[in-house]
Amino acid sequence: MIRVENLEKYYDRHKKNEKHVLQKINLELPSHGLIAVVGESGCGKTTLLRCISGLDCFDDGRMVYEGKHVIMPRKNSMEEYRNRNIAFVFRNEYMREELTVLENVRMALAPYELSGEEEQERIRLTLEAVGMEKYKNRRLEYLSGGQMQRVAVARAFVTCPRIIFADEPTGNLDEENTIRIMQLLRAFSEKALVVLVSHEQNMVKGFADRIIHLEEGRIVSDRENNAAEQIRRMEWKDIYLGEYRRTQQKLEHLQVQFYEQEEEMQEETEQENTAQENTIQIIHRNHKFFVKGTGEEEIILLKDSDCKVVDGLRPEYMDTLEGQELGLESISQAFRQHYRLPELLKVSAGLSEGHGRWLFMRLTLLLFTVVTFLIFTDYRSRDSLNKLALQTTDSHLVTFDFSQGGFTRSGIELFYDQYLTAGGYSDIMPALNDTMNVQYDGYLQLSGHLCKVQDFSMISVKEISTVDIQYGRMPKNRNEIVVDRWLLKRARQDNNILRELFLDDKQFLGQKVSFVTGNPVTIVGIGSRDEPSVYGSDTLRLSMAYELPSLITAEEISALYPKKYKDLYLNDNEVLVSERILAQAEGASDKEKKETILKTLKDLTGWECYIAGTFSEEGYDYIIPEGFCYDISREKAIQDHKCYAYAESPQKMIAQIRKDMERGKDKFPVVMQQTTQEQFQKALEEKHSMIRMDYEYLIAFVAVVFVVILVLIWFQILSQRKEMIVSQFVGIRRSVLWRMKMLYALRNTSFVCLPVVMICWIVVQIMSSIPSFNYFVDMTWWIALIFGGVLTGLVTVAYGAVWKCNLPGFPLRYTE
């Protein structure tokens, strides 16, 4: 099975202290049998075992496994073969003391695809065979050296390998367990090859099929051994007094105890020894005993013999010296060729059980994560604005400023008509913000109390639909509005009374609100567009913008009072005036009063108007045709040299108007800007002027902490040297080990980084929601989660890189 040809091994070759450990070793080992390598300490036994098993390289010669696996000098290319077919037992155990007996034996089964039941059964049988089944749940650190040695033997047996290499497998055992283990090795060698190293030459004679003797790195003898005969001699070498019949006689100066074999034992030897009387003369002189036998029996003095006298019966294990059978079959065919992710996770968790080395690493990771996240959030805070507090206009509005470049009335009219109206941007408003008063009558003490809500945009109800309504419905007439939840949230945040009275947005439905002019209106819907906006009719919006007496169109009043105004129709320049307004107008006569009102209307619309009549309904001052809304907005924009237009995509609107202006070769000096961008830019400039922070020191601190983490990873890896060697002993490839370590690092790092980042994010969000802290960071939960994932990946990659560099430094080595 194994052929070794002219094998040479040196330590410190070509140096002054060069040592020639193995010299011209030629061996041929069979496919089964128990081969013992004996010799004095330092003769090269362990080195020979290490070279033959592929744990160490040699300097000259070659080895051939099964006639095809050729191992050449200074190359260790039999990792795959070793993992599949070879198991090891060493005198210094190489066990995981922090794991239990069961977990240590199970490690050997990690590279194999077995069911849980099959794993448990194999482990049970092997532990029972070595007498350690009752200690299966005890950690190895609480076992004696001999017990640990037996666990190492069980780990080697559990996979039923084709070859077992054992270095002093009974070195730490008592006599009973030595014989037990040697019996198992002897039985195992009947179907596999067992190569053991030992300095107990008398012991191996009783079990080995072949004994190879080494001296100074050379084979001085290689002979077959009759183990059965040696076992028989070993069985009857010692005397157990419990098996003999004792007679006793006391003399004056001497007490004589005579032990004689029992009758059944005598019967077994009657054919060899004829029963006869014998006389033994014992002479006592000068404090000495002289013994003389008169028969043919040999007299043996125990002090001159290696025979021991034991006061008791022969142990039961001496009756079963013929060997024990484990009853297990080889599982080499179940060896894993490839590890899928679930298998890697399972095996990695099993190999990493009992780890306590991550405690200090976790504390350092916690510090690193907290500091890094705080720096990240503080940096984001420089460019983060509390839009809930700062945004006072709808983000869909575009500002058109005509105050620069000497715009004339005709120029503004031309731009307004050619690029706004003709471009389809009909929702144009002259002003943005107003004050809305929320009236609450729920408690007697607050009856008639008005809570102010400010800084919002009045947007035409035409810009929303039912899909934009979170609670309630769309307005049906001029006296109904929709308020966006964004505005209500800010209102509750800024107003303590609103925060206590309205616990959620839904409670605002049905509430009366009023503006500077006109009748109160009712909130019938809560919007979900997250804008600081109120959605209502165009006439309501115009009334708010100009602080004029309330306007209402003919269509709107017809909807409110269908019986009275069902057939009301107004031409483009006709208006109806409230009787109250007419009575309050300046002038001595009705004609003068009407002229005053018409002059006011011309200033508003830019057109000559005609008073078609009066009306008596309270809360409204003028009934106007639908087209007047557009005329009033246009005239106000010309007068103020400024207006605002609503667009679903403000940036596209600006780009399209500029493109149209270039196509028409018009050079209007109009300033176009998204309204909210203007607000945010101004707020950012103010914030940047207030923040003066030197981030270089913080970044340097994070770098230092990261270097500390790398150092800790390095030392942690060094502390796992034994674990790595043990894992390779049980047949796990280095490439698989590296992937397992990466998964193990990913799991431990994510368990620290991700929860800590999310906790820090929650703290930051709480701080941002408290106005007195004057601290705000615009960061969603998924950004924080991505940041935690990046930190986890960074540390995991660093861990894997350090492992990749160090893994070649963990060869299968051990010291003698």
Side-chain angles (χ1 to χ4, degrees):
M1 186 177 191
I2 304 176
R3 187 170 73 252
V4 180
E5 301 174 355
N6 298 319
L7 189 141
E8 303 269 352
K9 175 67 178 176
Y10 294 84
Y11 287 144
D12 300 317
R13 193 173 191 182
H14 306 305
K15 296 182 180 179
K16 292 183 179 180
N17 57 340
E18 175 184 299
K19 184 177 181 181
H20 199 173
V21 186
L22 297 176
Q23 306 178 40
K24 299 294 182 182
I25 300 296
N26 289 277
L27 284 174
E28 190 161 343
L29 303 178
S31 59
H32 65 276
L34 198 157
I35 313 299
V37 181
V38 299
E40 300 295 329
S41 179
C43 69
K45 305 185 301 294
T46 300
T47 302
L48 177 61
L49 183 74
R50 193 161 61 218
C51 290
I52 295 176
S53 63
L55 298 183
D56 203 353
C57 300
F58 49 92
D59 296 294
D60 200 4
R62 72 169 189 165
M63 292 191 304
V64 181
Y65 272 74
E66 297 184 346
K68 55 183 178 179
H69 300 282
V70 181
I71 315 301
M72 300 304 292
R74 294 174 292 280
K75 292 183 180 180
N76 191 341
S77 57
M78 60 175 297
E79 180 183 21
E80 184 70 23
Y81 183 88
R82 182 179 63 239
N83 292 339
R84 281 173 170 270
N85 301 287
I86 299 177
F88 300 90
V89 180
F90 295 103
R91 62 186 177 193
N92 54 356
E93 295 96 23
Y94 268 120
M95 308 295 288
R96 297 276 301 279
E97 290 87 351
E98 72 274 17
L99 302 184
T100 65
V101 171
L102 183 69
E103 290 166 346
N104 269 278
V105 178
R106 183 185 288 142
M107 283 183 64
L109 299 175
Y112 299 89
E113 297 186 52
L114 301 176
S115 64
E117 294 78 8
E118 188 174 356
E119 277 191 2
Q120 293 295 332
E121 180 64 15
R122 297 184 77 90
I123 294 172
R124 183 187 65 80
L125 290 174
T126 52
L127 289 179
E128 285 180 351
V130 299
M132 291 297 295
E133 203 275 336
K134 62 181 179 180
Y135 301 107
K136 65 180 180 180
N137 294 319
R138 186 174 296 182
R139 289 211 298 261
L140 263 65
E141 57 189 345
Y142 301 121
L143 300 180
S144 66
Q147 289 173 321
M148 291 177 67
Q149 188 77 359
R150 283 188 276 163
V151 176
V153 173
R155 188 182 66 184
F157 283 158
V158 73
T159 60
C160 285
R162 300 181 65 184
I163 308 172
I164 289 182
F165 290 101
D167 185 11
E168 304 284 2
T170 60
N172 297 322
L173 304 181
D174 55 25
E175 180 181 3
E176 177 180 352
N177 283 301
T178 294
I179 295 177
R180 181 196 295 268
I181 297 304
M182 291 305 297
Q183 286 176 344
L184 290 171
L185 290 173
R186 173 72 184 181
F188 192 83
S189 68
E190 294 178 2
K191 56 183 179 181
L193 175 63
V194 178
V195 180
L196 68 88
V197 165
S198 178
H199 64 278
E200 300 180 44
Q201 298 189 32
N202 291 330
M203 185 270 294
V204 298
K205 288 179 181 179
F207 297 94
D209 296 313
R210 178 177 165 192
I211 299 176
I212 300 171
H213 194 103
L214 282 184
E215 285 186 6
E216 296 182 354
R218 295 178 179 274
I219 297 178
V220 295
S221 68
D222 184 353
R223 59 183 177 81
E224 299 294 329
N225 180 63
N226 189 344
E229 179 63 25
Q230 296 293 342
I231 288 176
R232 184 177 180 279
R233 293 179 182 177
M234 179 179 176
E235 180 179 5
W236 296 103
K237 180 181 69 174
D238 297 333
I239 298 174
Y240 293 86
L241 296 180
E243 297 178 344
Y244 293 79
R245 184 174 60 239
R246 185 181 71 175
T247 57
Q248 181 172 312
Q249 184 176 2
K250 183 175 178 60
L251 304 176
E252 182 178 356
H253 299 291
L254 178 67
Q255 182 171 341
V256 179
Q257 294 179 347
F258 177 72
Y259 290 88
E260 185 178 18
Q261 287 178 300
E262 297 286 353
E263 292 182 1
E264 61 269 26
M265 299 184 67
Q266 283 185 332
E267 290 176 0
E268 294 179 1
T269 57
E270 280 180 356
Q271 296 178 356
E272 299 180 3
N273 302 295
T274 303
Q276 57 181 336
E277 294 185 358
N278 294 283
T279 301
I280 298 178
Q281 297 176 340
I282 303 174
I283 301 108
H284 181 259
R285 188 182 71 177
N286 296 332
H287 305 290
K288 295 180 180 179
F289 288 97
F290 297 87
V291 180
K292 177 183 178 183
T294 59
E296 297 180 356
E297 283 79 1
E298 181 181 4
I299 296 177
I300 301 174
L301 298 179
L302 291 178
K303 68 175 184 177
D304 298 328
S305 170
D306 59 354
C307 178
K308 293 186 300 183
V309 176
V310 181
D311 189 7
L313 293 173
R314 185 182 302 274
E316 293 183 2
Y317 68 87
M318 293 294 288
D319 297 331
T320 58
L321 282 178
E322 292 302 321
Q324 299 181 3
E325 175 61 44
L326 286 177
L328 297 177
E329 298 296 329
S330 175
I331 54 174
S332 61
Q333 71 280 357
F335 190 81
R336 300 180 194 269
Q337 292 289 344
H338 305 286
Y339 286 78
R340 295 182 292 272
L341 182 60
E343 296 167 346
L344 280 174
L345 290 172
K346 178 183 176 181
V347 177
S348 174
L351 294 179
S352 303
E353 290 177 354
H355 253 301
R357 305 184 184 100
W358 269 87
L359 178 60
F360 191 66
M361 173 70 80
R362 288 188 179 118
L363 294 176
T364 309
L365 272 176
L366 189 148
L367 174 64
F368 173 73
T369 304
V370 171
V371 173
T372 307
F373 184 77
L374 291 180
I375 292 175
F376 175 68
T377 54
D378 197 75
Y379 183 78
R380 279 190 64 88
S381 70
R382 296 178 73 251
D383 297 316
S384 295
L385 295 173
N386 187 355
K387 294 183 178 180
L388 187 64
L390 291 174
Q391 186 176 345
T392 58
T393 59
D394 196 294
S395 62
H396 296 86
L397 296 179
V398 178
T399 304
F400 294 90
D401 189 353
F402 306 107
S403 62
Q404 301 180 19
F407 258 103
T408 62
R409 180 183 179 89
S410 60
I412 297 175
E413 289 177 349
L414 179 61
F415 182 86
Y416 197 97
D417 295 335
Q418 185 173 344
Y419 293 106
L420 294 181
T421 306
Y425 309 111
S426 58
D427 190 7
I428 302 170
M429 60 201 74
L432 293 175
N433 304 325
D434 199 1
T435 299
M436 180 174 64
N437 298 308
V438 180
Q439 181 178 334
Y440 185 79
D441 297 323
Y443 297 105
L444 181 62
Q445 298 88 335
L446 296 174
S447 178
H449 181 78
L450 298 177
C451 297
K452 288 186 177 182
V453 178
Q454 296 177 311
D455 297 331
F456 60 88
S457 299
M458 190 69 184
I459 306 298
S460 174
V461 73
K462 301 173 184 176
E463 304 296 345
I464 62 172
S465 63
T466 54
V467 297
D468 300 315
I469 305 298
Q470 183 176 11
Y471 303 116
R473 58 176 175 82
M474 290 285 289
K476 294 181 179 179
N477 55 59
R478 181 190 182 280
N479 294 338
E480 295 178 345
I481 61 172
V482 171
V483 181
D484 198 274
R485 62 189 179 188
W486 174 293
L487 183 60
L488 298 177
K489 180 180 179 181
R490 190 181 67 194
R492 288 203 306 273
Q493 179 176 298
D494 297 340
N495 192 299
N496 293 332
I497 295 178
L498 288 177
R499 185 164 57 250
E500 295 298 329
L501 296 179
F502 300 95
L503 300 180
D504 58 50
D505 296 340
K506 201 172 184 178
Q507 292 182 347
F508 279 94
L509 292 176
Q511 291 298 316
K512 296 288 185 179
V513 299
S514 60
F515 301 97
V516 177
T517 60
N519 292 336
V521 296
T522 304
I523 300 176
V524 297
I526 308 298
S528 60
R529 303 193 75 175
D530 291 328
E531 299 284 354
S533 302
V534 174
Y535 303 92
S537 67
D538 292 341
T539 53
L540 179 63
R541 184 173 60 173
L542 287 174
S543 299
M544 294 169 51
Y546 296 127
E547 298 185 3
L548 290 176
S550 180
L551 303 174
I552 187 170
T553 65
E555 291 80 1
E556 290 172 341
I557 201 165
S558 296
L560 289 173
Y561 305 100
K563 291 183 180 180
K564 186 174 182 180
Y565 296 102
K566 179 179 180 182
D567 299 324
L568 177 63
Y569 175 78
L570 295 175
N571 294 317
D572 290 343
N573 62 340
E574 292 180 336
V575 297
L576 296 180
V577 181
S578 170
E579 294 175 353
R580 176 177 48 81
I581 293 297
L582 184 61
Q584 295 174 353
E586 296 180 359
S589 63
D590 287 346
K591 181 178 180 181
E592 291 177 355
K593 290 181 179 181
K594 288 182 178 180
E595 289 177 353
T596 302
I597 293 173
L598 290 173
K599 184 178 182 300
T600 301
L601 290 173
K602 184 176 181 181
D603 291 339
L604 286 176
T605 63
W607 300 96
E608 295 289 343
C609 298
Y610 172 72
I611 299 177
T614 60
F615 64 95
S616 60
E617 276 67 30
E618 292 294 331
Y620 308 106
D621 299 323
Y622 300 98
I623 299 176
I624 62 175
E626 187 75 27
F628 263 38
C629 295
Y630 172 79
D631 295 334
I632 293 173
S633 297
R634 181 174 179 271
E635 185 62 25
K636 187 63 177 177
I638 294 171
Q639 293 176 8
D640 294 344
H641 283 67
K642 195 172 188 178
C643 70
Y644 306 89
Y646 187 94
E648 285 297 329
S649 176
Q651 297 299 329
K652 288 184 179 180
M653 177 184 183
I654 294 172
Q656 183 62 43
I657 291 176
R658 286 176 176 164
K659 185 177 179 179
D660 293 342
M661 289 171 60
E662 291 177 1
R663 188 183 298 114
K665 298 182 179 180
D666 293 322
K667 296 182 179 180
F668 291 104
V670 61
V671 177
M672 296 178 290
Q673 186 174 18
Q674 188 176 357
T675 308
T676 52
Q677 279 190 344
E678 182 181 356
Q679 295 175 343
F680 294 157
Q681 187 63 34
K682 184 177 179 180
L684 277 177
E685 291 174 357
E686 293 177 357
K687 191 171 186 179
H688 289 172
S689 65
M690 297 172 60
I691 297 176
R692 293 287 185 270
M693 182 174 290
D694 191 356
Y695 288 95
E696 284 77 5
Y697 295 106
L698 293 176
I699 294 173
F701 178 75
V702 173
V704 169
V705 176
F706 187 71
V707 170
V708 171
I709 290 176
L710 291 178
V711 173
L712 288 176
I713 291 174
W714 184 278
F715 281 108
Q716 186 189 56
I717 289 173
L718 292 180
S719 70
Q720 297 177 23
R721 178 180 184 274
K722 186 174 183 179
E723 175 192 340
M724 291 300 95
I725 296 176
V726 170
S727 299
Q728 292 181 76
F729 275 148
V730 299
I732 300 177
R733 299 186 298 273
R734 290 186 183 183
S735 59
V736 176
L737 273 176
W738 181 76
R739 281 181 282 163
M740 289 180 179
K741 281 300 172 184
M742 285 285 287
L743 286 174
Y744 181 65
L746 179 62
R747 184 185 67 175
N748 281 276
T749 307
S750 60
F751 283 172
V752 175
C753 290
L754 295 182
V756 170
V757 165
M758 296 313 295
I759 291 172
C760 291
W761 176 79
I762 293 172
V763 172
V764 168
Q765 293 303 304
I766 294 174
M767 293 175 61
S768 298
S769 65
I770 301 175
S772 58
F773 280 133
N774 194 25
Y775 181 80
F776 179 78
V777 179
D778 184 15
M779 183 185 300
T780 58
W781 65 268
W782 55 269
I783 291 179
L785 194 62
I786 290 175
F787 179 83
V790 170
L791 278 186
T792 300
L794 179 65
V795 176
T796 303
V797 169
Y799 193 90
V802 178
W803 260 110
K804 197 73 170 178
C805 295
N806 281 273
L807 199 56
F810 292 145
L812 295 178
R813 300 285 190 270
Y814 55 93
T815 56
E816 294 193 36

